[in-house]
Amino acid sequence: MARAPARPGFSQGGSGGRAPGRFAYFRGVWDELRKVIWPTRTELWRMTGVVVLTVILFSILIGGADYGLGYAVKPIYSGSGTSSSSTTVVPATTTTATPSPSASASASPSASASASPSASASASPSA
């Protein structure tokens, strides 16, 4: 039977090439890190300053937009402003209409309460 060709980067061995592969991998990482051209201290401070300044500017921009939109939308959801005066009128109408039904409502529970014990008392002796 014919064998499939080996894939590049993988060794063919009894153990699957794992132990030498790990060492070779970390050695390759170390070799690549030695090739990196690291920034000087001046370049590092300049790039860090650019990042910090960008973060500050975007936070001011987003915070300002949040404050502005919140200021514009707050009257819609809180009910303050022109809608507040119309909201005040509605409870005043409800308060005026409330005393009439409450007076008749308080009379009927007391009448039904007095009728209930007499009805239960008259039901007991006849039973």
Side-chain angles (χ1 to χ4, degrees):
M1 215 180 220
R3 276 181 96 159
R7 292 186 280 172
F10 291 100
S11 64
Q12 290 181 328
S15 65
R18 290 195 177 136
R22 286 184 186 168
F23 180 72
Y25 172 76
F26 287 112
R27 183 173 181 122
V29 169
W30 184 255
D31 289 340
E32 289 297 321
L33 285 174
R34 287 190 355 213
K35 293 178 187 177
V36 172
I37 299 174
W38 297 99
T40 63
R41 189 171 297 272
T42 311
E43 291 173 335
L44 184 65
W45 278 108
R46 189 180 70 233
M47 289 185 273
T48 304
V50 168
V51 169
V52 169
L53 184 66
T54 303
V55 168
I56 290 171
L57 288 175
F58 272 98
S59 65
I60 290 171
L61 177 71
I62 292 172
D66 180 49
Y67 180 78
L69 290 172
Y71 184 77
V73 173
K74 190 173 183 180
I76 296 172
Y77 289 109
S78 67
S80 63
T82 58
S83 61
S84 174
S85 62
S86 63
T87 309
T88 308
V89 172
V90 174
T93 325
T94 308
T95 310
T96 308
T98 306
S100 301
S102 65
S104 61
S106 63
S108 65
S110 62
S112 64
S114 62
S116 299
S118 63
S120 62
S122 62
S124 320
S126 61

